[in-house]
Amino acid sequence: MLLTKHGTKDDARWAMDGYFLPPGLTLGTLLELPNEAMLQLLKNLAQHEPAGGAQAAPIDPHQEVWAAGVTYLRSRDARRVESTVAAMYNHVYEAPRPELFFKSTGWRVMGNQMPVHIRSDSRWNVPEPELVLVINRYSEIVGYCAGNDVSSRDIEGENPLYLPQAKIYNGSCALGHGIVLCQPEEIKDIPIRLKIERLQETIFAGETTTATMKRTLAELVEYLTRQLDFPNGVFLMTGTCLVPGDAFTLQPGDLVSIQVGELAIENHVQIVE
């Protein structure tokens, strides 16, 4: 099953496998249900109206996006290069407790074909392609989508306490193009691809799979939802290991293309003042 969200003349509407779901049905309502009950509800809903309209980010405005950091060896090594306290990232990579941080609220999230932003007060900005888990109120993984955790490496590198400023700002998070609903055990060895184009030329391309992640998905979810409730569900970005070289930084006009499994998002880059 594939859930997508579409802009219409009246309001945004959710669709499943190319057909609109009933008006007024939200993702938050679906994620209030246990996974099996949600899937049964979706199977029972009549679907006759083909979905149309521009695709929107597959998230409700009030839902939250969180992120895990240093879950891949490549991410640890990149953080060590940028940071003034490199040893800290060795500890995070090896520690039992993962790094988790708030990334965005739903109304700030960009969807497929929408612009992502880089900070005007940063000189070193990069995309981070990631598998993003969709989790219901019962801490069950119900599916996944593709994500881009745009980051300012120089700001975080100057001082780890600046991480919120490096990670959380307008247009720094993109999700799309929809949500694949599946069982948690199906989310394994998911391919992740990143391509960056500048003036119609590819300046970076890389590919990996989630098999290289150090931590398990269940482990990340357990830590995120430990003594922290998400009544309408939550999105969790699971980290990246596709990191452009240290001389690379995004520029306005760049086109960032990310594929995670069967999902894809493309976003042009703009600078946010």
Side-chain angles (χ1 to χ4, degrees), residues 21-210:
L21 294 168
L25 182 67
T26 66
L27 181 63
T29 299
L30 293 174
L31 296 184
E32 290 176 1
L33 302 172
N35 191 29
E36 290 304 316
M38 179 195 73
L39 294 175
Q40 190 60 53
L41 173 64
L42 288 171
K43 290 177 182 178
N44 292 340
L45 290 174
Q47 300 172 64
H48 305 294
E49 183 182 358
Q55 286 191 355
I59 186 172
D60 287 343
H62 61 279
Q63 290 178 307
E64 298 178 4
V65 181
W66 285 67
V70 201
T71 55
Y72 294 88
L73 183 63
R74 178 69 180 94
S75 176
R76 184 205 68 177
D77 292 344
R79 295 280 193 90
R80 290 173 62 187
V81 169
E82 74 190 27
S83 181
T84 57
V85 284
M88 183 187 73
Y89 293 102
N90 283 333
H91 176 72
V92 171
Y93 185 74
E94 299 294 342
R97 184 183 294 271
E99 176 192 15
L100 295 169
F101 56 90
F102 178 79
K103 177 63 182 180
S104 183
T105 54
W107 61 268
R108 283 199 185 100
V109 174
M110 298 299 180
N112 186 37
Q113 301 297 330
M114 299 176 67
V116 292
H117 295 163
I118 54 176
R119 294 186 64 113
S120 60
D121 59 351
S122 170
R123 56 177 174 75
W124 192 6
N125 298 284
V126 296
E128 295 187 5
E130 305 192 14
L131 168 75
V132 184
L133 301 178
V134 182
I135 305 159
N136 67 16
R137 71 174 299 165
Y138 301 97
S139 304
E140 296 176 303
I141 299 172
V142 303
Y144 70 90
C145 66
N148 186 356
D149 171 20
V150 187
S151 304
S152 299
R153 291 185 64 182
D154 57 331
I155 293 177
E156 182 183 357
E158 182 180 351
N159 188 323
L161 295 179
Y162 295 164
L163 181 140
Q165 297 174 72
K167 294 282 191 179
I168 308 168
Y169 57 88
N170 294 332
S172 69
C173 179
L175 299 177
H177 64 279
I179 297 170
V180 173
L181 298 179
C182 60
Q183 297 300 320
E185 57 269 20
E186 299 178 66
I187 309 176
K188 61 180 181 180
D189 300 344
I190 303 294
I192 301 177
R193 300 179 179 89
L194 170 65
K195 183 172 70 171
I196 306 170
E197 297 173 81
R198 180 173 297 161
L199 300 176
Q200 300 182 331
E201 292 187 6
T202 299
I203 57 174
F204 178 86
E207 181 176 349
T208 187
T209 79
T210 57

Side-chain angles (χ1 to χ4, degrees), residues 181-260:
L181 298 179
C182 60
Q183 297 300 320
E185 57 269 20
E186 299 178 66
I187 309 176
K188 61 180 181 180
D189 300 344
I190 303 294
I192 301 177
R193 300 179 179 89
L194 170 65
K195 183 172 70 171
I196 306 170
E197 297 173 81
R198 180 173 297 161
L199 300 176
Q200 300 182 331
E201 292 187 6
T202 299
I203 57 174
F204 178 86
E207 181 176 349
T208 187
T209 79
T210 57
T212 59
M213 187 185 301
K214 180 180 187 292
R215 300 182 185 274
T216 68
L217 303 180
E219 175 187 0
L220 294 176
V221 172
E222 194 281 324
Y223 271 99
L224 175 65
T225 59
R226 184 184 293 185
Q227 302 180 34
L228 185 60
D229 295 332
F230 299 99
N232 302 116
V234 65
F235 289 68
L236 177 60
M237 310 185 91
T238 58
T240 191
C241 68
L242 288 176
V243 183
D246 298 336
F248 175 86
T249 187
L250 287 170
Q251 295 182 10
D254 287 353
L255 177 63
V256 179
S257 302
I258 290 172
Q259 289 182 280
V260 178

